[in-house]
Amino acid sequence: MQKLKSILFIIGLMLALLSGTTIYVAIQSMSSLTPADSYEDNGVYTFVPYQVLPIQVKNTGATGRYRRMNPTRTVYMVYYQDTAGRGYRWQEEAGSRALGQDTVDAGVGVQRRVLTISDRGSYITVEPEETARSYTAGLRQRYVRVLIVSALYLVIYLIIYGVIYIRRGL
């Protein structure tokens, strides 16, 4: 029973540290979020697929020895370019090389809204019904949700730990 209590304490402490780190990262991300006014809407463009390429990404799905032996994994990206010839590009992950190649062979266009950030000289593409305001609001909402869940866990952890500490002291 004592071993189980110590394991639960360590797990709870690790989750509390993870929550604290998550709160820090969410606050940093919210503070560096580009305001909606900084985006310029360039309109909706049609993007067509033109190639599939394998890329290496960090292997986050594996654990333990398998992750150490295979720190990266191969994913296939379908690359799109706009049909207007403005030089805009967009990419999305395909399930496999064959599925990606089927997408390229079909050549079906995808509608994306292009939002430019003129002071950085860059751009992003979003769904056609999204605007700069809805895009930034969605990001902000995601960060707030992460903050709330992490803070809630920390509060519950501290309350439980405080109750246990007070009971032991009395």
Side-chain angles (χ1 to χ4, degrees), residues 21-146:
T21 305
T22 304
I23 289 171
Y24 175 76
V25 170
I27 289 172
Q28 289 295 323
S29 298
M30 280 183 69
S31 66
S32 66
L33 188 63
T34 305
D37 299 338
S38 298
Y39 291 100
E40 181 183 329
D41 189 351
N42 285 358
V44 177
Y45 290 88
T46 301
F47 290 82
V48 291
Y50 66 95
Q51 70 179 2
V52 179
L53 292 176
I55 63 167
Q56 297 291 314
V57 296
K58 186 175 180 181
N59 191 3
T60 58
T63 59
R65 183 172 188 267
Y66 186 76
R67 183 183 284 177
R68 286 190 305 276
M69 299 301 292
N70 303 292
T72 61
R73 64 185 178 93
T74 302
V75 296
Y76 294 94
M77 299 298 282
V78 177
Y79 292 90
Y80 292 80
Q81 61 188 359
D82 71 296
T83 56
R86 298 269 179 121
Y88 295 128
R89 301 200 188 288
W90 172 64
Q91 64 193 33
E92 95 179 318
E93 187 176 325
S96 67
R97 179 184 285 276
L99 289 174
Q101 192 59 49
D102 290 345
T103 302
V104 171
D105 292 342
V108 176
V110 177
Q111 298 284 315
R112 302 286 292 178
R113 180 175 302 278
V114 177
L115 302 173
T116 58
I117 308 167
S118 55
D119 59 335
R120 293 185 193 163
S122 63
Y123 65 91
I124 61 170
T125 65
V126 295
E127 295 297 323
E129 62 275 356
E130 273 194 302
T131 63
R133 293 213 184 283
S134 66
Y135 172 73
T136 55
L139 287 178
R140 191 173 296 111
Q141 187 178 30
R142 181 182 305 159
Y143 295 141
V144 167
R145 268 189 257 134
V146 168

